[in-house]
Amino acid sequence: MRNIKLVITNGSCANLKKRFQQHLQGSGAAFTRAAIKRGIEFKIVYVWKTSSKQEARQLEIQLKRSKNHAQLLRRVQNVKTNSTKTR
């Protein structure tokens, strides 16, 4: 039986497909390079679209400062709920 651990990481970029490929090829962040070396799978769980690079960076900083993963997951669920209501 495998021990599964949830790890949340985030970042911002202009081209998500290109950035994710960089991570998969081992030229991304140190965290993903370490995961690849250890055979740990990772995936994109949620994507926030922002109107500017500055807004994306501010959101990234806010999320990185949040050490409470339960709170972060609630934020993701709230964003999904709110975005569904506005569409």
Side-chain angles (χ1 to χ4, degrees), residues 72-86:
L72 178 59
L73 291 172
R74 281 194 301 275
R75 283 186 193 177
V76 170
Q77 291 170 343
N78 287 338
V79 169
K80 286 181 181 179
T81 303
N82 292 337
S83 64
T84 303
K85 289 179 183 176
T86 59

Side-chain angles (χ1 to χ4, degrees), residues 35-47:
I36 290 170
K37 283 183 181 180
R38 290 169 178 79
I40 299 169
E41 296 177 350
F42 57 94
K43 64 180 178 177
I44 297 171
V45 176
Y46 192 79
V47 176

Side-chain angles (χ1 to χ4, degrees), residues 4-28:
I4 299 174
K5 182 177 181 181
L6 172 65
V7 177
I8 298 174
T9 185
N10 68 61
S12 59
C13 64
N15 185 330
L16 181 59
K17 187 175 183 177
K18 179 180 175 184
R19 184 66 176 143
F20 193 65
Q21 283 301 315
Q22 289 173 331
H23 285 299
L24 293 175
Q25 294 168 357
S27 60

